[in-house]
Amino acid sequence: MRIALMQHTARPLESEHNLELIDDAAARARAQGAKLLLTPELFGFGYVPEQIRTQVSAEQVQAARTRLRGIARDRGIAMVWSLPGVQAPDRRGITAELADEHGEVLASYQKVQLYGPEEKAAFAPGDQPPPVVGWGGAQVGLLVCYDVEFPEMVRAAAVRGAQLVLVPTALAGDETSVPGILLPARAVENRITLAYANHCGAEGGLVFDGRSVVVGPAGRILGELGAEPGLLVVDLPEPTEGSGAGGADYLQDRRAELHRSWL
């Protein structure tokens, strides 16, 4: 399976411009044979939690969601996007959705692990496990940004059968430990492929360092970007290929009931 990751700089609250960037990335990804495009966290409005809370209406979010479904349908490519929830500003979270190439939404998820005081003040945390659905011959799960840094979150997707976990993110600063250490560890310990699409450049007072990446189930980097805008196109291993380090099967060997008794 071939997928693409979009890495770019959003303009805060300029949804028309940002959605045009997604549309262009979808067209280029499809032209290169990709079956799915993964986009960064909150890219439609930019990663500006406080401004989204105070200046973006539920109607604007719904309009962006409708446009994104149309892009998937018109370009003939499945997509994962991240938007504020469609609820009123004081009740919505950060969401990710997977739509197929017809624009039909297959899975929706609300970010559980909110990061930092600004994000926690602007959004409501989710309380449901990551969804896992069949798409493209694989079982696909969704997480958002900070979620993937928690072993429990990725494990929750893996025990539900996920083989590929797609992660829109907005990781600011030179945080090399996340793409370089944590993502390979999560992939190995769960025997999954992880795809992680980030912003890049200066945006809303933050500087995003990019480093969008795809990591295979053995922890090997299958493709990555630097700090500049780009489109990463990667051929994924078959879901049955690859294993954890040394052939260890952490999912099979874990003593889950005992572990839970320790908490």
Side-chain angles (χ1 to χ4, degrees), residues 122-183:
F123 297 105
D127 59 9
Q128 296 301 304
V132 177
V133 298
W135 175 83
Q139 293 296 304
V140 180
L142 296 177
L143 291 171
V144 178
C145 195
Y146 195 38
D147 286 328
V148 80
E149 299 179 39
F150 291 79
E152 301 88 344
M153 296 299 302
V154 185
R155 181 57 52 83
V159 299
R160 287 168 173 77
Q163 298 161 314
L164 168 64
V165 176
L166 303 170
V167 188
T169 193
L171 180 67
D174 189 19
E175 295 287 349
T176 58
S177 64
V178 177
I181 298 173
L182 294 185
L183 294 182

Side-chain angles (χ1 to χ4, degrees), residues 183-202:
L183 294 182
R186 299 290 172 268
V188 168
E189 66 196 11
N190 293 289
R191 290 192 167 193
I192 59 171
T193 297
L194 277 168
Y196 184 82
N198 196 18
H199 299 241
C200 64

Side-chain angles (χ1 to χ4, degrees), residues 5 23 49 64 76 79 155 161 167 181 188 215 220:
L5 282 64
D23 188 22
M79 288 174 46
R155 181 57 52 83
V167 188
I181 298 173
V188 168
V215 184
R220 183 169 63 88

Side-chain angles (χ1 to χ4, degrees), residues 13-95:
L13 304 186
E14 294 188 27
S15 61
E16 183 174 346
H17 170 82
N18 299 334
L19 296 177
E20 283 294 331
L21 292 177
I22 292 177
D23 188 22
D24 177 69
R28 290 188 289 120
R30 189 70 186 90
Q32 295 182 53
K35 301 297 184 184
L36 178 141
L37 174 67
L38 173 62
T39 66
E41 181 183 15
L42 293 175
F43 194 86
F45 294 96
Y47 185 79
V48 283
E50 175 60 20
Q51 289 175 265
I52 289 173
R53 185 183 71 82
T54 58
Q55 299 179 49
V56 175
S57 68
E59 292 76 17
Q60 288 173 297
V61 173
Q62 187 59 62
R65 183 174 183 266
T66 299
R67 173 76 189 286
L68 287 163
R69 292 183 62 191
I71 291 171
R73 181 184 63 249
D74 295 344
R75 298 301 183 184
I77 188 170
M79 288 174 46
V80 172
W81 59 72
S82 172
L83 291 170
V86 296
Q87 300 88 350
D90 61 341
R91 292 186 291 112
R92 64 187 175 202
I94 299 174
T95 71

Side-chain angles (χ1 to χ4, degrees), residues 101-142:
E101 68 274 18
H102 307 294
E104 296 300 320
V105 174
L106 304 180
S108 298
Y109 169 72
Q110 182 171 331
K111 185 177 182 179
V112 169
Q113 300 290 162
L114 298 178
Y115 179 80
E118 185 179 8
E119 195 169 289
K120 292 174 182 177
F123 297 105
D127 59 9
Q128 296 301 304
V132 177
V133 298
W135 175 83
Q139 293 296 304
V140 180
L142 296 177

